[in-house]
Each structure stands twice: as C-alpha cells, then as structure tokens.
Amino acid sequence: VADLDDATLGSIAESRGLTPAALYALLMAVESSFVPLPSEVVIPPAAYLAHSRGSLSLPGVVIAGTLGSWAGAAFMYWGARLIGRPLLARYGRYVLIPPQKLANAEIWADHFGLVGVFIARLLLVIRHLIGIPAGIVRMDFLRYSAATLAGSAAWCSVLAWLGVTMGRDPVLMAGSLHRIALWLGGFLL
C-alpha cells in the first residue's frame, strides 16, 4: 500500500475510463461474484489512500464498495434464480439435494432470510456465495438487496477502518509481514 498512490490508481482508472470510486465499485462487484478477489485487498488500501491523500472521502470508499458488492451479489442472485433452481429441480437428487431439501431451504429463507443474508455478508467466503441459495429459493429481491446493502456497508466500514488504522502504522506500511500477520490475527479474534 505504501507504494500505491493516487497517481497510480488514477492512471489505472483513467485508462479504463473510470473514476477511482468506479474502479473500487467494479473491483467489489467482482469480489461479490464468483471471482476470488478478496475485499480485504480492495477496501483497506482504498481507505488508506482516501484518508492519507484525500482523492476520495472515506464515506465515498464505503459507498463505492457497498454498491459494488451489491452489484456483484445481484448478478449472483439473478444467475442462480434464473438458472440454478431449474438445474437443481432436475438434477439435484444426483448431488444430494432432493426436492425436500429445496423445499426446506425455501422455508428457512422465508423465516430467516433477511438476517441470514445480512450475517452472511459479514462472513469470509460465504459473503461471495450467499446470492446463490438466495436466488435458488427465490428470496424476494428487494429484501435480499436491503440485507445485502446493509451487510456490505457494515463490512466495507470495518475494512475501511482497518485500512486507515493499519495505514497509521509505519512499520506495517514498510512491509513487515510479521506485523501484518499480527493485525490480521487480532482482527479475526
């Protein structure tokens, strides 16, 4: 992060016809889809740069990350809703998902859906995939979107705080891997 600066991000974004905020949103959309791009690699450096160099406000980073996360999650939801359910209805029994499991998942989504999606947006790995079962069980898209936006905003806020806080540690910014491991370990606890 120490070597990354606004000029570099600006040139990356500009070469693709994007603003830095749009670049962060695009990266977070990718993160919320099936591509393994961790949000921990996108938001903390963006927040550090926003805080230290002021090219984008910290709330701007959180908003861009949240909207990008929602866009990627919406893509996953609609893909699963349009393609996933018919596939499971037809072939689910071959992958240990009989019709009764699908019916039980629909009951669960109806009862715990909003809270389940919100919590899933805060969990490593699961946040990338929650759109698949939500789409398959045909959770109401507006409710799914509200829970996704709330969970993504909370997650992006935590990552932005970490980025700013870690950015204040000169040893960490100098590239001390040991310090990074301590930070991550402390965060996970």
Side-chain angles (χ1 to χ4, degrees), residues 31-135:
E31 179 267 344
S32 285
S33 68
F34 51 85
V35 179
L37 174 66
S39 56
E40 298 84 350
V41 174
V42 177
I43 296 298
Y48 167 73
L49 289 173
H51 177 73
S52 66
R53 301 205 175 99
S55 65
L56 183 64
S57 70
L58 209 50
V61 170
V62 172
I63 290 168
T66 299
L67 293 177
S69 289
W70 173 81
F75 173 78
M76 294 295 285
Y77 170 93
W78 283 107
R81 184 167 177 154
L82 298 173
I83 299 168
R85 184 174 179 78
L87 280 175
L88 275 182
R90 186 168 184 169
Y91 301 110
R93 64 182 177 271
Y94 301 116
V95 291
L96 304 175
I97 305 175
Q100 186 56 41
K101 276 194 179 178
L102 195 54
N104 288 343
E106 289 172 331
I107 292 168
W108 181 91
D110 188 47
H111 188 67
F112 298 107
L114 279 176
V115 173
V117 171
F118 175 80
I119 291 171
R121 295 302 302 171
L122 303 173
L123 300 174
L124 299 172
V125 180
I126 295 173
R127 73 174 165 268
H128 305 278
L129 304 173
I130 191 62
I132 296 170

Side-chain angles (χ1 to χ4, degrees), residues 170-181:
V171 175
L172 181 64
M173 291 293 95
S176 174
L177 195 54
H178 174 71
R179 299 276 294 176
I180 292 172

Side-chain angles (χ1 to χ4, degrees), residues 28 39-41 43-45 47 127 154-164 187:
M28 289 302 289
S39 56
E40 298 84 350
V41 174
I43 296 298
R127 73 174 165 268
W155 182 248
C156 288
S157 296
V158 167
L159 290 178
W161 175 82
L162 275 175
V164 170
F187 174 68

